[in-house]
Amino acid sequence: MTIIIGLITKSSALVASDGRILSGAYYEGDIQKRKSTVESDEFDKTFSLKNGKIIGAISGLMRFQDKTTIEHIKSIAQENYIVPYSLDKLANCICKELKSGLVVVSDEEILFQFRSLDLILIGHKSDLDLTYQIKSCRIKANAKNRNIDYTIDTIDPVINNHVYWQLFGDESSQSKVHIFLNREIGLLNKQNINTLRPIAYKAIRLGIKHSMVSIFGDHQTCGGKVYVKNAI
């Protein structure tokens, strides 16, 4: 688990995450044989594509098939770059390819029910429309039919100088961060990268503070270094 944030106005965009990555618990059948542990507190869950014009962050499954999930996303984006560019097409392509990869992962590597992740993807709508847009992607294991389902929702900044956001991760963290963002952003006189970056840092630190203890171990689900990345 983690806490990730995507923030946009019509002309600015950033993502933020905590830095905690867990080893994962070990199961034999339905029986937990080993609890999860904190593997690192300096794992950057944010990323950029297209020379920084597209940014994103992930929550959930961080590695599979000998690559980090972010490495998979970067490879998919590079191999399937679509001209003319469209954020909608790119988001669909990434989700489709991640689904294909997760379906074939062996149970020895990752039990099926744990093959889920949330993805925030932010970029210009297209090469012709430079308004920023958030694609909120949820990729989830469906144990009933042993398939991977995904949904993509869109957040459009329809009002000038109004801030929109997406949160994923620890539910307790999300609740506190949502209240914090409503209050702090409402106090801003200007909404731009310079004013939003400090708020993003504070929001992630607040999310870490209020994150739950993991059901798979004896640690908080969120922690470590705070990472913030803005679109160029």
Side-chain angles (χ1 to χ4, degrees):
M1 192 61 73
T2 189
I3 179 68
I4 59 174
I5 304 171
L7 289 162
I8 61 169
T9 68
K10 278 194 170 185
S11 58
S12 57
L14 62 82
V15 289
S17 81
D18 72 318
R20 176 158 293 182
I21 186 171
L22 308 176
S23 65
Y26 175 72
Y27 285 81
E28 290 183 3
D30 294 327
I31 300 174
Q32 187 186 77
K33 293 294 185 177
R34 185 177 65 243
K35 294 181 178 181
S36 69
T37 58
V38 176
E39 186 176 305
S40 173
D41 271 340
E42 296 185 354
F43 187 89
D44 188 356
K45 301 161 193 173
T46 70
F47 62 90
S48 62
L49 307 171
K50 201 183 176 187
N51 296 319
K53 294 182 180 180
I54 301 168
I55 55 175
I58 60 167
S59 170
L61 183 65
M62 294 291 164
R63 292 194 188 104
F64 65 97
Q65 294 180 326
D66 299 320
K67 288 183 179 181
T68 67
T69 304
I70 289 175
E71 287 174 332
H72 282 289
I73 291 170
K74 289 183 175 181
S75 295
I76 293 166
Q78 185 173 9
E79 293 169 6
N80 297 273
Y81 186 67
I82 301 165
V83 178
Y85 160 76
S86 159
L87 188 64
D88 185 64
K89 290 179 181 178
L90 181 62
N92 275 281
C93 182
I94 289 172
C95 288
K96 181 180 178 181
E97 294 297 320
L98 287 176
K99 169 183 175 174
S100 297
L102 290 172
V103 166
V104 299
V105 171
S106 70
D107 287 342
E108 285 74 23
E109 181 183 354
I110 305 168
L111 290 176
F112 195 83
Q113 62 265 34
F114 298 127
R115 301 179 203 177
S116 299
L117 63 102
D118 296 319
L119 165 66
I120 295 172
L121 196 65
I122 301 176
H124 296 142
K125 291 183 181 181
S126 69
D127 286 329
L128 298 177
D129 187 341
L130 300 185
T131 301
Y132 281 111
Q133 190 178 65
I134 296 177
K135 293 292 183 181
S136 304
C137 310
R138 310 208 75 174
I139 302 170
K140 188 172 179 61
N142 187 334
K144 291 183 179 179
N145 60 7
R146 199 171 172 81
N147 196 13
I148 304 294
D149 300 327
Y150 69 83
T151 59
I152 303 173
D153 293 322
T154 301
I155 299 176
D156 273 316
V158 295
I159 304 173
N160 281 323
N161 299 320
H162 189 79
V163 182
Y164 298 78
W165 61 82
Q166 175 66 60
L167 306 175
F168 281 131
D170 182 286
E171 291 185 1
S172 177
S173 296
Q174 287 189 61
S175 176
K176 294 293 184 180
V177 170
H178 181 70
I179 293 170
F180 172 81
L181 291 175
N182 261 322
R183 183 182 68 247
E184 294 299 310
I185 289 174
L187 296 174
L188 292 177
N189 292 320
K190 294 182 179 180
Q191 294 82 15
N192 54 42
I193 290 299
N194 291 334
T195 59
L196 292 176
R197 280 185 69 90
I199 289 176
Y201 275 102
K202 292 177 182 178
I204 293 295
R205 292 190 186 102
L206 181 70
I208 290 171
K209 178 181 178 181
H210 291 281
S211 63
M212 296 180 290
V213 174
S214 172
I215 61 173
F216 303 111
D218 301 319
H219 47 75
Q220 284 181 276
T221 61
C222 308
K225 187 174 178 179
V226 177
Y227 294 90
V228 179
K229 188 175 274 86
N230 59 272
I232 298 172

